[in-house]
Amino acid sequence: MKAFHEVSRSELTSEVLQDEVGTRGYLLVRDLLDRKAIDTALNDVTRVLSRAGWLDTEHDPRERFSAAGAACGDPDPGFKRVYQEVFNLESLHRLPHGLSLRNVMEMLAGDQVLVHPKPIGRLIFPKCERLVTHAHQDYEFMGGDPEFYTVWIPLHDCPVEVGPLRILEGSHRHGIQHHERDNLHVPEIPEDAAAGIEWVGGQVNAGDVLIFHSLTVHAASLNLSDQMRLSIDCRFQDARRTLNPANLVFAGESGKSWEKTYAGWTSDELKFYWKKLPLTLQPSKAELASLADTAAAPAKRARYLRMISQLE
């Protein structure tokens, strides 16, 4: 597989960013993030995983060696409980707001950049093929305006055997691609049907960021090591572009809320920060109310009403 094309942080300009992502669909920047912030997040995440019994007690939790028989993933109830603890970590939410990353994303997405408030933690067990994330486009799951970007951030050095992301170079130029859904928990694009130039990959280290367009096809590599792969996905867009309100709230009847997420935080700085921005939601709150009024299924009506209440 062809190696990632890298760009040094010292070379970054708005023109370079636009050209690289516009041409290749992605950009790998080395040593962009503050290592202290990464280490703090890694410590916090591995502390949660250690308490859950997911890590081998014979090793330092930071080494991420998986405990025998611990492998699990969404939609397993046990996985969901631990994942929620990880999602609630203040240190994890702080990472995409770091000044160096924010400056880069302002050059790429626009000077009024919105950091989506729900980063996705990836807690990937080794040698567990059934839980591998297959080829897909993030727009399939996020909706809204397709002009947004994902930033993939590993919390530790991630050599190829630990299963970093792979990118289908040039795939963003083929628009929205068909995702199979039948008998699948998560929609995916069959790799032999994905349109693009060629798959690229390689080692991505703590402090590096892999940036790609919402329509760029990507997938995880199989984790062939004995260690867990821990990373987060963050989304950025121009705040003036439309946004799917589902990216700001917790849908369903899970009992999740921002109040519960923030309960253990030590600072108020990042709490509800997006409410200070004049966002254009699609559907809007008025449209959600209309959808609730016309919904035939009670569950769907309740979902729309929960979304509205969380957007107030």
Side-chain angles (χ1 to χ4, degrees), residues 119-197:
I120 299 175
R122 303 295 183 184
L123 315 175
I124 307 301
F125 283 89
K127 299 171 182 173
C128 193
E129 190 168 358
R130 71 178 178 88
L131 298 175
V132 172
T133 300
H134 296 288
H136 66 282
Q137 296 170 305
D138 281 354
Y139 181 73
E140 173 74 15
F141 304 93
M142 308 297 290
D145 191 306
E147 286 303 312
F148 70 83
Y149 304 90
T150 294
V151 178
W152 186 71
I153 303 173
L155 301 184
H156 51 79
D157 290 354
C158 194
V160 172
E161 61 268 22
V162 180
L165 289 195
R166 299 176 290 127
I167 295 287
L168 183 55
E169 189 171 284
S171 53
H172 65 303
R173 296 199 296 268
H174 294 269
I176 300 170
Q177 300 194 35
H178 174 70
H179 289 65
E180 297 286 352
R181 292 172 175 77
D182 292 347
N183 302 314
L184 295 172
H185 173 61
V186 178
E188 63 186 59
I189 305 171
E191 289 203 14
D192 60 359
I197 300 173

Side-chain angles (χ1 to χ4, degrees), residues 71-107:
C72 60
D74 194 26
D76 299 338
F79 178 87
K80 288 180 176 291
R81 286 193 296 273
V82 176
Y83 177 83
Q84 191 59 42
E85 284 190 63
V86 170
F87 178 84
N88 291 350
L89 293 170
E90 182 177 5
S91 58
L92 216 64
H93 287 259
R94 284 198 169 277
L95 283 181
H97 292 271
L99 183 60
S100 59
L101 179 55
R102 189 177 183 91
N103 286 342
V104 166
M105 298 313 295
E106 285 179 351
M107 286 191 287

Side-chain angles (χ1 to χ4, degrees), residues 31-298:
D31 299 315
L32 181 68
L33 302 184
D34 174 33
R35 286 297 298 265
K36 183 177 179 181
I38 294 285
D39 288 343
T40 298
L42 178 63
N43 286 338
D44 290 347
V45 172
T46 53
R47 192 176 299 118
V48 172
L49 303 189
S50 184
R51 284 200 307 263
W54 287 10
L55 300 178
D56 189 335
T57 56
E58 297 296 317
H59 294 84
D60 184 326
R62 289 173 52 87
E63 295 179 344
R64 314 172 328 279
F65 281 94
S66 174
C72 60
D74 194 26
D76 299 338
F79 178 87
K80 288 180 176 291
R81 286 193 296 273
V82 176
Y83 177 83
Q84 191 59 42
E85 284 190 63
V86 170
F87 178 84
N88 291 350
L89 293 170
E90 182 177 5
S91 58
L92 216 64
H93 287 259
R94 284 198 169 277
L95 283 181
H97 292 271
L99 183 60
S100 59
L101 179 55
R102 189 177 183 91
N103 286 342
V104 166
M105 298 313 295
E106 285 179 351
M107 286 191 287
L108 179 60
D111 58 356
Q112 294 184 36
V113 71
L114 167 69
V115 184
H116 286 209
K118 296 197 296 184
I120 299 175
R122 303 295 183 184
L123 315 175
I124 307 301
F125 283 89
K127 299 171 182 173
C128 193
E129 190 168 358
R130 71 178 178 88
L131 298 175
V132 172
T133 300
H134 296 288
H136 66 282
Q137 296 170 305
D138 281 354
Y139 181 73
E140 173 74 15
F141 304 93
M142 308 297 290
D145 191 306
E147 286 303 312
F148 70 83
Y149 304 90
T150 294
V151 178
W152 186 71
I153 303 173
L155 301 184
H156 51 79
D157 290 354
C158 194
V160 172
E161 61 268 22
V162 180
L165 289 195
R166 299 176 290 127
I167 295 287
L168 183 55
E169 189 171 284
S171 53
H172 65 303
R173 296 199 296 268
H174 294 269
I176 300 170
Q177 300 194 35
H178 174 70
H179 289 65
E180 297 286 352
R181 292 172 175 77
D182 292 347
N183 302 314
L184 295 172
H185 173 61
V186 178
E188 63 186 59
I189 305 171
E191 289 203 14
D192 60 359
I197 300 173
E198 61 183 317
W199 285 94
V200 298
Q203 179 160 331
V204 185
N205 298 322
D208 299 346
V209 295
L210 183 61
I211 305 169
F212 51 93
H213 191 272
S214 77
L215 297 179
T216 299
V217 177
H218 58 286
S221 303
L222 180 61
N223 183 353
L224 300 173
S225 72
D226 295 317
Q227 298 164 283
M228 293 190 69
R229 190 259 278 168
L230 308 176
S231 61
I232 64 170
D233 304 348
C234 316
R235 275 82 187 198
F236 296 77
Q237 71 172 74
D238 187 324
R240 292 161 291 200
R241 291 185 176 272
T242 57
L243 175 70
N244 180 354
N247 296 319
L248 303 176
V249 301
F250 300 99
E253 300 177 354
S254 63
K256 300 174 185 175
S257 70
W258 285 114
E259 287 75 16
K260 290 179 181 178
T261 297
Y262 297 149
W265 288 24
T266 59
S267 169
D268 293 335
E269 179 187 2
L270 295 179
K271 295 179 179 179
F272 298 108
Y273 63 88
W274 63 93
K275 292 191 175 183
K276 302 171 187 175
L277 300 172
L279 300 177
T280 301
L281 303 180
Q282 188 177 22
S284 66
K285 285 189 283 187
E287 289 169 330
L288 287 171
S290 178
L291 288 168
D293 288 340
T294 58

